[in-house]
Amino acid sequence: QESGFFKALNFNENTLNLIHGFRIKQLVYTADELDFVDIRVQDRPFAGILSLGYQVSIFRKNNLIFNFNQDIGLLGPGSGTSTVHTWWHKQLNLDDPTSWEFQIENRFLFNSRLELIKSFPLVRNRMELMYESHYEFGTIFNNIRQEGTMRIGLLESLSKSGYRNGMVGTVTGDLRPGKIREFYLFFGLGTEYVFSNYTIEGDFPEKEFAPVNWIENWIFLTKSGFNIHWDKWDLGWHFFFHTRENSRAQNHRYGRIKVNRRF
């Protein structure tokens, strides 16, 4: 909190934490079938992204979070995604994804994302409603998303919660080894308006022979799961349901296990 950057962003003296993050990200987008030879059966193009990202998160004392993300990278064969995807499928003895020849062509990625998250406590430290607003614009993805999420259980205030990595590491000074700081269920509903998505609309080999495939402008989403947060560790099990992203796709259901370690 003594850094000049923190002081510059500590408007109204209400900033609690300021966290910087860096990441390397590789995204894989494939059709439902990984080994088709007829472009007419493709429900979406193959696409791969490799990018570097920077994030700054401002945690305010009034249960408000501002997140800004900037990603720079490459979409297309130059990202090396097809090589990586094929390699780990072979290592796990999965189906060989031979249809990468139809992937979206190279394009420079420069995408910015702004998130605002506000919490409204309903029962102190037991139940709260969160409003989450997301805005993403750039050369690949352009969309706006609005969500409402309910958390129920043993809660910290949002600015100190592990829900969006508000807890910091050893500088907290109040470590309680082995003691659970948060344990809660969450349920969320949202909608996203998509202006453009180049991973679907971009050019790829033999596109002129592919069936017409439009992006869906409106996507509806749900999420649910639970999180446990200790001083040093986070563990979560999450489930998601998204309506289809394009006219030939199916609804998207998936889950994830999240493990986080603080130092």
Side-chain angles (χ1 to χ4, degrees), residues 12 42 71-73 96 105 132 166 180 194 207 220:
N12 299 330
Q42 178 177 259
D71 287 295
I72 299 175
D96 191 11
E105 296 174 354
E132 305 182 42
I180 294 176
V194 180
K207 182 177 181 178
F220 297 94

Side-chain angles (χ1 to χ4, degrees), residues 67-120:
N67 283 332
F68 175 75
N69 296 265
Q70 182 62 58
D71 287 295
I72 299 175
L74 185 67
L75 176 147
S79 70
T81 304
S82 59
T83 301
V84 173
H85 188 223
T86 301
W87 176 81
W88 64 258
H89 264 241
K90 288 182 178 179
Q91 302 307 307
L92 298 176
N93 198 29
L94 301 174
D95 292 340
D96 191 11
T98 58
S99 300
W100 274 102
E101 62 181 291
F102 300 109
Q103 70 175 303
I104 299 289
E105 296 174 354
N106 285 330
R107 186 169 192 175
F108 176 64
L109 181 148
F110 187 88
N111 258 77
S112 304
R113 181 183 178 96
L114 176 66
E115 298 178 289
L116 294 89
I117 305 168
K118 174 65 176 175
S119 170
F120 302 92

